[in-house]
Amino acid sequence: MLDIDNIRRQFPIFSTTTKTPLVYLDNAATTQKPLVVLERLQRFYSYENANIHRGIYQLADDATRHFEKARSRVAQFINAKYPDEVVFCSGTTEAINMVAQGLRKYLSSDHQLVVTAMEHHANFVPWQTVCNQTGARLRVIAVKPDGTLDRDQLDAAIRQKPAVLALTHISNTLGTINPVHEIVALAKEHGVITVVDAAQSIAYDHLDVKDLDCDFLAFSGHKAFGPMGIGVLYGKEEQLARLEPYQQGGSMIIKVSEESTTFKPPPHGLEAGTPPVAEAVALGTALDFISGIGLSKIKVHNHSILLYAKEKLSSLQGVQQIGPENETSSIVSFLMKDIHPHDVATILGESGVAVRAGHHCAQPLMQALNIHGTVRASFTIYNNREDVDQLIDALKTVEKVML
Amino acid sequence: MSESLKKLYNHLILDRQKDLSNFEKNENAQITLEAYNPVCGDQFKLYLDFDNNTISKASYYGYGCSLSRASTSLLVELLPGKSGKEVLECIQSYYRQLEDDKEDRSELIKALSMAKEFPGRKQCVVLSWDTVKHFIQNKRA
């Protein structure tokens, strides 16, 4: 059994003395940071700070070593073949833009790109944009009323051999877990480049990119107890090599003359400018934090809290849960009678309960489900049953206020 | 429940959001505006008819939270009979009343003014007002 109280104590934000203690149920937006991660950031900036890949002195050499060690740590965490298959970037959004724009030169009106109506805007808009730029067609796979993908439609689209399939592993809005292994396998059979948005899965389940066999995978550090501003694009060595660098400038070059420039090979050729070094190093620490507890144990805990929350929510009259009944991660989306999600969230916020309300950066999904928004509670390792009880109590207040 | 929450969700706002007067589509309106907040998905159509330069009829239809509905309902109630210039004055006066508790103001506006005390809700009470303001300003320009 995990000692949740002990884990919770490692997060300074829960020890702050505000008028109401924080019940933080917005982990799908960003997780809180454990002390080890905060201390690692501070240690870097206090004692280890230098720019990387250029200084001919010990401090710079050490900073480079820490940065590259973090790359290896990420590679190990997702079981990449080589550390150089890990490109550091600012987050999932940048990672996907890097792929979409990196593939741009290969795309034309002869091509089709496939995404789903379940995607976060980060895995939707970059593809829509590159289609507009190149004349390629964007095919959007439907989501069924139960919040799962229309597999028949998806499989048929894959058999038409589109250039790219960009798919989320877990829906940030509904928690739907897509069978990415099956889908990627089918896509590989048809020679489709596969891009997996793992923003919601990196701290939820074991990711093994060798086993998954996707071409690209993207995630953000801040949803995995790491700092904001650091994220990862994983790409198979040969796939990264095909990407045109979407940003050019410092540190990504081998040789520059007035006439032309030679770029470094990946990953460094895709990391223009000074990267967030401390953040990358602290991301390594965050992954150590996760491994220290154990992802399997985290998953069991998160699932038990989710089931408890779903059960409690079902007992409240007028609460309608949106999304699949099973096969969901630690996210529950719901509506409360005809009360607007922002009214619910404001009243919950007054009780110290932080949830997300609105369209969750997934407007195509809202359109597919014919709703305007939801209230979303998302759980992680420091949440306990008392957090859920407080959510339920606060929801009873919502009813009192609004009806 | 906190005092500010009680002041915000007071019965005037809750009654107002349920009040369906002027809540109707008017596909034949001379002017149809869209008030849209991409953050929360609130979306109203504002229907305006003019007689010479005076608004003769106003209604709204769409989806929004209690605050955006109540504030939109108040807006369309105030618009008929006003010229463009008077509409702008009315909107400016509403904004002043939201900000300044020394203003002589109705209990409903007092309640709406509480929105600024709550994270992310200030926009709800000006959404439709901003839309009409921009339309009239552009029309006059």
Side-chain angles (χ1 to χ4, degrees), chain A residues 211-272:
Chain A
D211 180 47
L212 180 57
D213 201 28
C214 57
D215 295 304
F216 297 100
L217 180 136
F219 65 89
S220 303
H222 72 90
K223 292 192 203 284
F225 311 107
M228 292 180 175
I230 184 75
V232 167
L233 171 66
Y234 156 82
K236 282 183 183 169
E237 193 185 23
E238 65 276 15
Q239 292 293 347
L240 282 181
R242 294 182 69 217
L243 295 185
E244 187 83 357
Y246 96 115
Q247 282 196 113
Q248 297 80 31
S251 90
M252 52 81 74
I253 50 84
I254 294 173
K255 194 176 165 208
V256 180
S257 70
E258 285 193 11
E259 293 75 35
S260 66
T261 296
T262 322
F263 303 140
K264 280 182 188 166
H268 302 106
L270 295 167
E271 293 172 350

Side-chain angles (χ1 to χ4, degrees), chain B residues 22-37:
Chain B
N22 303 317
F23 186 73
E24 58 189 1
K25 287 184 189 170
N26 177 7
E27 307 290 2
N28 299 322
Q30 289 165 5
I31 300 292
T32 302
L33 304 175
E34 187 178 75
Y36 176 54
N37 181 352

Side-chain angles (χ1 to χ4, degrees), chain A residues 339-348 402, chain B residues 9 65-67 121:
Chain A
I339 307 172
H340 190 285
H342 277 208
D343 287 323
V344 176
T346 290
I347 299 168
L348 294 185
M402 297 299 295
Chain B
Y9 287 109
C65 66
S66 57
L67 307 183
R121 299 306 296 278

Side-chain angles (χ1 to χ4, degrees), chain A residues 17-135:
Chain A
T17 44
T18 48
K19 55 175 180 177
T20 35
L22 174 64
V23 178
Y24 187 75
L25 305 180
D26 196 16
N27 296 288
T30 195
T31 56
Q32 298 300 339
K33 317 304 170 199
L35 193 59
V36 280
V37 168
L38 303 173
E39 284 175 347
R40 190 66 195 89
L41 277 173
Q42 192 170 10
R43 193 164 93 227
F44 182 87
Y45 281 124
S46 303
Y47 307 112
E48 301 167 352
N49 182 55
N51 213 329
I52 55 167
H53 296 139
R54 56 197 85 178
I56 310 298
Y57 49 92
Q58 195 59 48
L59 196 64
D61 200 46
D62 288 346
T64 306
R65 212 162 30 78
H66 290 308
F67 184 71
E68 292 303 325
K69 199 173 137 201
R71 193 190 305 280
S72 300
R73 181 68 187 94
V74 172
Q76 181 199 20
F77 193 81
I78 59 174
N79 199 29
K81 209 163 164 187
Y82 312 110
D84 283 357
E85 291 181 323
V86 169
V87 182
F88 282 123
C89 56
S90 66
T92 311
T93 299
E94 188 181 21
I96 293 167
N97 274 283
M98 211 188 292
V99 182
Q101 289 303 311
L103 294 173
R104 181 176 167 181
K105 68 172 176 183
Y106 306 108
L107 298 173
S108 71
S109 55
D110 296 337
H111 296 105
Q112 191 174 70
L113 311 187
V114 174
V115 296
T116 81
M118 195 189 283
E119 302 309 314
H120 186 283
H121 294 160
N123 198 28
F124 191 95
V125 183
W127 301 111
Q128 192 177 54
T129 301
V130 80
C131 282
N132 290 338
Q133 289 163 336
T134 60

Side-chain angles (χ1 to χ4, degrees), chain A residues 130-388:
Chain A
V130 80
C131 282
N132 290 338
Q133 289 163 336
T134 60
R137 281 157 299 138
L138 186 69
R139 173 84 192 274
V140 184
I141 302 302
V143 171
K144 295 192 288 189
D146 70 353
T148 61
L149 282 180
D150 186 331
R151 275 301 295 280
D152 293 342
Q153 210 184 87
L154 176 62
D155 292 3
I158 291 173
R159 291 196 177 92
Q160 290 174 9
K161 303 186 193 307
V164 177
L165 165 68
L167 172 71
T168 191
H169 184 190
I170 294 176
S171 156
N172 73 305
T173 307
L174 306 176
T176 312
I177 301 174
N178 289 319
V180 281
H181 282 81
E182 264 176 56
I183 296 169
V184 169
L186 182 68
K188 299 311 304 174
E189 273 176 39
H190 293 84
V192 183
I193 294 174
T194 49
V195 184
V196 175
D197 173 353
Q200 294 298 335
S201 39
I202 187 67
Y204 178 75
D205 205 352
H206 289 282
L207 284 174
D208 180 333
V209 289
K210 260 189 239 159
D211 180 47
L212 180 57
D213 201 28
C214 57
D215 295 304
F216 297 100
L217 180 136
F219 65 89
S220 303
H222 72 90
K223 292 192 203 284
F225 311 107
M228 292 180 175
I230 184 75
V232 167
L233 171 66
Y234 156 82
K236 282 183 183 169
E237 193 185 23
E238 65 276 15
Q239 292 293 347
L240 282 181
R242 294 182 69 217
L243 295 185
E244 187 83 357
Y246 96 115
Q247 282 196 113
Q248 297 80 31
S251 90
M252 52 81 74
I253 50 84
I254 294 173
K255 194 176 165 208
V256 180
S257 70
E258 285 193 11
E259 293 75 35
S260 66
T261 296
T262 322
F263 303 140
K264 280 182 188 166
H268 302 106
L270 295 167
E271 293 172 350
T274 296
V277 180
E279 286 72 11
V281 172
L283 172 60
T285 307
L287 299 181
D288 288 342
F289 171 80
I290 292 174
S291 300
I293 300 170
L295 255 179
S296 308
K297 286 184 186 164
I298 293 177
K299 188 177 174 186
V300 168
H301 169 78
N302 292 357
H303 198 65
S304 78
I305 298 292
L306 177 81
L307 290 183
Y308 182 67
K310 284 177 89 94
E311 184 197 318
K312 286 278 179 178
L313 285 169
S314 321
S315 69
L316 282 184
Q317 230 198 345
V319 169
Q320 181 199 354
Q321 295 181 38
I322 311 283
E325 265 184 50
N326 303 308
E327 290 301 306
T328 57
S329 71
S330 42
I331 291 173
V332 59
S333 244
F334 59 94
L335 292 170
M336 196 173 185
K337 300 195 170 150
D338 57 355
I339 307 172
H340 190 285
H342 277 208
D343 287 323
V344 176
T346 290
I347 299 168
L348 294 185
E350 275 294 291
S351 314
V353 179
V355 295
R356 178 81 188 269
H359 56 57
H360 313 292
C361 298
Q363 291 180 21
L365 178 63
M366 298 295 114
Q367 290 150 20
L369 297 175
N370 197 23
I371 52 179
H372 295 278
T374 70
V375 182
R376 178 188 72 184
S378 48
F379 309 99
T380 190
I381 192 63
Y382 39 64
N383 293 122
N384 53 27
R385 288 185 168 218
E386 289 77 60
D387 288 343
V388 175

